Amino acid sequence: MELFDAIFQGVLQGLTEFLPVSSSGHLAIYQHITGITENNLFFSVMLHIGTLAAVTAVYFKIIFRLFAALGSLLKKIFTGKFKWKEMTDQENLAMMIIIGLLPLFLLFIPVPGTDMKIKDLAEKFSANDGYFFVIGILLVATSLLLFFGNKNRRPVKIINGKRYRKKLRTRYTWVDALIVGFTQCLAVSPGLSRSGSTLAVSQLRGIEKQTALDYSFLLGTPAVVAAALLELKNVLTASEGDPMNINIGYVIAGMIVSTIVGFLAIKLFKWLLGTNRMYIFILYTAAVGLAILLISIIELSSGTNLFTQKPLTF
C-alpha cells in the first residue's frame, strides 16, 4: 500500500460513511473499476476507529448525556421506579437507541441451505462483479428513499377536505425505533446508504429532520463499533498471512484523514439538511445508480468486466 492509497481510502471512508451515498457501495464500485479486491483487515479496523472518533467529536456531549441517562434508567429499573411514560427526553433517546439496535441480531441468522449468515449476503454481492447491477438498483433505491423522506419534511393531513400541516415529532416511539432499526439492517447491502435510509424512514414516520439525523448517527455508532470489533477478531484469528504487514505510518495517515473528513462530512450533512439541499444527494445517487445499471447491462451481455476485461464472477 502506498501513502496515496491510504489517504484516498481515508477520504473515501470518511465521506461515504456519513454522507447518504453508501460507503460499501462506493468501495464496491472502486474495486469493480480497479480490480483490486484485497483488503487489509488491520487497516480497515483503523479506518473504522477514525470514523468512530469523528462521530464522538461531533456528538460527545449527547453521548455523555446518554450514558448518564442509561445509568438513570438502570437505577430506576432495579429499584422498581421505572415508568415508561415518565422517561425524560434523554432517557427516551437512550431507550430508543437500544430498541433500534435489536434488529441487528437478525443479521446473524443462518441462510437455509448454506453455511452463510444473512450478513454474508452483502459481501457476496460486493465481492462478485457479476452482481454489480445490485449496487445500481440499491443506489437508485437510496435516491428514492431520500426523495420521499425529504418530501415528507412538512407532512400534511387532511381533515374535512382541508389541508393542515402536521406537527413534526422530536421523540421516537418504540415502533419508530424498530422500523428504523430494521432499515439499518437492510442497509448492510452495498448501495443502500445506512445514514440516508434511516434518516428518510424517520422523516416518513414524522420525525423532525435534525432529530432524525442525530438519531441516525447515534444509532449507527454502535454498529461501527461492532464492525470494527468483528474485523479486529478476524485480524487476531487470521490463519495465514500477516495482517500487520503494512506501513504503520500509512495506517495512521489513513486513520487521521478518515477522522477529519468524517467530522467535516457530518457537519456538511447537517448543514445541507438544515438548508433543504438534500436534492444534491438525491440526484447524485440516482445518477450513479443508473450509470451502474447501464454498465451492468453491457457487462452482462459481454460476460466481461468493462474496466478490467476479466470474465464476470458470480
Side-chain angles (χ1 to χ4, degrees), residues 7 92 130 163 199 290 299:
I7 293 175
N92 173 264
R163 296 165 62 89
L199 166 67
L290 292 173
E299 291 184 338

Side-chain angles (χ1 to χ4, degrees), residues 160-178:
N160 297 326
K162 294 184 178 180
R163 296 165 62 89
Y164 298 89
R165 292 291 180 189
K166 292 173 65 176
K167 185 177 180 181
L168 296 173
R169 294 182 287 122
T170 57
R171 279 178 70 137
Y172 280 73
T173 66
W174 67 268
V175 177
D176 298 328
L178 279 179

Side-chain angles (χ1 to χ4, degrees), residues 124-141:
K124 179 178 177 63
F125 290 140
S126 61
N128 298 281
D129 55 10
Y131 296 104
F132 195 45
F133 67 93
V134 174
I135 297 167
I137 292 172
L138 293 179
L139 278 170
V140 173

Side-chain angles (χ1 to χ4, degrees), residues 41-42 45 229-239 243-244:
L41 290 173
F42 178 69
V45 170
L229 290 176
L230 285 173
E231 289 176 340
L232 183 60
K233 177 185 176 183
N234 291 333
V235 169
L236 298 176
T237 58
S239 59
M244 291 293 290

